[in-house]
Amino acid sequence: MSVVSLLGVKVLNNPAKFSDAYEFEITFECLEQLQKDLEWKLTYVGSATSSEHDQELDSLLVGPIPVGVNKFIFEADAPNLQRIPTTEILGVTVILLTCSYDSREFVRVGYYVNNEYDSEELNAEPPTKPVMDRVRRNILAEKPRVTRFAIKWDSEDSAPAEFPPEQPEADVVEDDGTAYGAEEIELEEALIREEAALKAADGDEEMAGADDTAGPANAESKAEEDEDSDAGSEDLEAESSGSEDEDAEEDEGEGDEDMEMAEDGETKAPAAAAQNGQPISGPPHGEVMVH
């Protein structure tokens, strides 16, 4: 808890010429008797690119501080132009009002400051070298930026904690990292199982779709093939039966010839044998001598 609390800051002379002094009415509250004084400072930021051009316009020690609400006027001189880059004089910059106790800053109030000419003609076409008599500053007092810091005051009890308090029970609790790692592994395994199930389901759907689309056509084509094969087999059977009939007829014809030859007896058979060049045999006769 802060012993001194800033209640308000009022900018008195605003807007003003660039060379005029700064004036602030500061109100603060002190909760307990302080052993040392408060130090107030006003800093002008001379450049947005480097802190080398920052200027401490003034500092003021206030004390001893009575307990309760206090108010005072803080005045500070205008910045030194020699320490500000020429290109940084005009435009927007910042002033910082700070307060410290025992060299420890506990509050900071920042204001934007706009430096510009007092005429539209000069602002539209600014001279190469700034005309400082025509430059005016305007502090945006309605939009301050206040930052507070916890510091040690007179007692040790008021000092802020530099380290977090000890928590012996924290050593007994299971490490979050281990549990987090286990949860990660479980999540990964669950994702893998889910992906496998989705792939299997997609494969079943594809197989079912293939059966639905190709099944009837395949059945019809198979039936047609079976019919063609049956027809072919019938033709082959018919041809084979026809050939068998022809063979039977030929055999019968040959049988008839044999029968005819058998009926002719001795006359036709020798003739046929003679024609075939075979020796003639017949019924036994008397020997015939050929001279």
Side-chain angles (χ1 to χ4, degrees):
M1 182 178 178
S2 179
V3 176
V4 176
S5 299
L6 180 64
L7 300 180
V9 178
K10 183 178 180 181
V11 182
L12 298 180
N13 56 339
N14 187 55
K17 291 184 177 181
F18 184 86
S19 57
D20 290 347
Y22 291 87
E23 295 182 9
F24 301 93
E25 183 183 86
I26 301 173
T27 304
F28 65 93
E29 182 181 13
C30 184
L31 300 179
E32 62 184 48
Q33 190 69 40
L34 295 177
Q35 299 176 2
K36 299 179 182 180
D37 297 338
L38 297 177
E39 183 179 14
W40 295 85
K41 290 182 181 180
L42 183 64
T43 304
Y44 183 90
V45 179
S47 174
T49 58
S50 175
S51 61
E52 296 178 357
H53 305 286
D54 293 353
Q55 299 182 46
E56 184 180 313
L57 302 182
D58 205 346
S59 64
L60 177 66
L61 291 174
V62 178
I65 306 296
V67 177
V69 177
N70 300 272
K71 183 185 294 186
F72 71 100
I73 303 297
F74 181 31
E75 294 184 2
D77 295 333
N80 185 0
L81 290 174
Q82 302 299 324
R83 298 179 58 184
I84 303 175
T86 305
T87 57
E88 301 281 354
I89 293 176
L90 298 176
V92 179
T93 187
V94 174
I95 56 173
L96 300 173
L97 177 65
T98 62
C99 188
S100 303
Y101 181 75
D102 197 15
S103 300
R104 292 186 289 270
E105 181 180 336
F106 65 90
V107 66
R108 177 185 301 177
V109 184
Y111 293 97
Y112 286 108
V113 180
N114 185 27
N115 298 318
E116 60 181 0
Y117 288 108
D118 57 3
S119 66
E120 295 182 359
E121 292 79 7
L122 291 175
N123 287 324
E125 297 181 1
T128 305
K129 185 178 179 180
V131 182
M132 299 309 302
D133 293 339
R134 304 291 300 274
V135 177
R136 296 178 63 83
R137 69 163 187 258
N138 183 15
I139 301 174
L140 303 181
E142 297 80 9
K143 297 181 180 180
R145 184 177 183 86
V146 182
T147 308
R148 295 178 173 85
F149 308 95
I151 66 168
K152 175 188 173 183
W153 298 89
D154 291 331
S155 63
E156 292 293 337
D157 296 337
S158 63
E162 297 181 0
F163 301 98
E166 295 183 1
Q167 298 177 351
E169 66 278 3
D171 298 333
V172 181
V173 181
E174 184 180 357
D175 188 8
D176 292 340
T178 305
Y180 181 75
E183 291 176 358
E184 264 195 341
I185 294 173
E186 291 179 0
L187 287 174
E188 289 179 359
E189 292 177 353
L191 287 174
I192 292 172
R193 289 195 297 269
E194 187 175 353
E195 289 178 358
L198 290 174
K199 288 181 181 179
D202 293 340
D204 294 341
E205 290 178 359
E206 291 179 359
M207 292 292 293
D211 293 340
D212 294 338
T213 55
N218 290 337
E220 292 177 0
S221 60
K222 188 174 181 180
E224 292 177 358
E225 291 177 359
D226 292 340
E227 291 177 359
D228 294 340
S229 61
D230 293 341
S233 62
E234 290 176 358
D235 294 340
L236 289 173
E237 290 175 358
E239 290 178 0
S240 61
S241 62
S243 61
E244 289 176 358
D245 295 339
E246 291 177 358
D247 293 339
E249 292 176 356
E250 290 178 358
D251 293 339
E252 291 177 357
E254 291 177 357
D256 294 339
E257 290 178 357
D258 294 339
M259 291 293 290
E260 291 176 357
M261 290 177 67
E263 291 176 355
D264 291 343
E266 299 177 356
T267 308
K268 291 184 178 180
Q275 289 177 359
N276 292 332
Q278 295 180 353
I280 301 171
S281 61
H285 293 286
E287 293 182 0
V288 178
M289 297 295 293
V290 178
H291 298 281

